[in-house]
Amino acid sequence: MTETVARRLTGVAAIVAAVAFIIEVPLYFVYSGPPPDVNVLSRLLIGIVALACLVVFVTALRELVKQVSPAYEWAGSIAGAAGLVYATITLVSSGLEAGAVIATDHPIDPTIAVSGTYILYGSISRLMLALFLTAVGLIVSRTKLLPRWTGRSAFVLAGINLAFVPSLFFGNTPAHFYAANGWGTTALMGAFLSYWLLALGISAYRSGTRLTPARAAANVH
């Protein structure tokens, strides 16, 4: 994979994942009580698509780091591994929610009813995202792989995610901001990730069209 292809694939995957996440998050706030099955299954399906694109994104990002700065391939591997763990955890959570909704003959709110997802969506996901974002911030700051703001914003988001790791001690009421499954811990952090991914994806894709002729020719060989 050439650097140009890696940059464009990284960008496209991040953009598609971000758009899917941006569509998914508001669906959690459409109903005040238990939502109908179609709402839950629709938002989970959109989330699954987003996570599949996220897997492509972190894999392409790791390859891009390998192409541009082999000395920091280890950091790319950490980012890739943390991203894959985050995607896997969230996919498992989505499966638990979907299974509970399909198996129940009346509407339920899976954010409350499926207790096994509290920590998966909350503290565990926040810690894995903090690790991923820290690695991305380190990569960008040391290699100038992308604009400087992407690295700085990654560090800021990593810190915010770390602040929500202790939320597992604060109950399981989704309407509360700082709870194991609270809207701050899950939805707000998801929204932050979505828009950060969108901005980074656009930046990564555009960087693939701005390589100098000499650098682009070197990539071919």
Side-chain angles (χ1 to χ4, degrees):
M1 184 185 293
T2 66
E3 180 182 341
T4 300
V5 173
R7 285 181 180 274
R8 290 179 177 177
L9 181 59
T10 300
V12 169
I15 291 169
V16 176
V19 170
F21 281 136
I22 290 169
I23 295 172
E24 176 195 16
V25 171
L27 295 178
Y28 282 84
F29 300 95
V30 174
Y31 299 92
S32 58
D37 291 359
V38 66
N39 171 271
V40 178
L41 297 178
S42 295
R43 72 196 189 198
L44 290 175
L45 179 59
I46 295 170
I48 291 169
V49 172
L51 291 166
C53 293
L54 186 67
V55 169
V56 177
F57 163 68
V58 298
T59 304
L61 179 63
R62 181 175 58 189
E63 180 64 24
L64 179 57
V65 174
K66 181 180 177 181
Q67 290 277 343
V68 175
S69 184
Y72 285 91
E73 185 178 353
W74 63 271
S77 296
I78 291 176
L84 290 174
V85 170
Y86 169 76
T88 301
I89 289 169
T90 311
L91 285 169
V92 169
S93 301
S94 299
L96 291 172
E97 285 195 4
V101 169
I102 293 170
T104 306
D105 59 2
H106 60 275
I108 63 171
D109 184 351
T111 61
I112 300 175
V114 186
S115 58
T117 65
Y118 294 168
I119 307 303
L120 293 175
Y121 275 136
S123 298
I124 296 176
S125 291
R126 300 287 69 79
L127 187 58
M128 289 300 101
L129 268 183
L131 178 58
F132 166 74
L133 291 164
T134 301
V136 172
L138 175 65
I139 290 167
V140 173
S141 63
R142 297 296 178 85
T143 68
K144 306 299 185 293
L145 181 71
L146 292 169
R148 187 175 299 175
W149 66 264
T150 58
R152 291 176 176 174
S153 59
F155 284 132
V156 171
L157 285 181
I160 295 174
N161 274 274
L162 279 177
F164 279 89
V165 172
S167 61
L168 78 168
F169 292 105
F170 293 87
N172 66 327
T173 303
H176 292 174
F177 176 77
Y178 198 85
N181 57 341
W183 65 268
T185 309
T186 56
L188 182 63
M189 291 297 96
F192 282 170
L193 175 66
S194 303
Y195 288 102
W196 178 82
L197 270 178
L198 180 61
L200 182 143
I202 293 171
S203 179
Y205 185 84
R206 293 177 65 183
S207 71
T209 66
R210 294 177 176 176
L211 295 180
T212 63
R215 190 166 175 180
N219 286 333
V220 174
H221 303 291

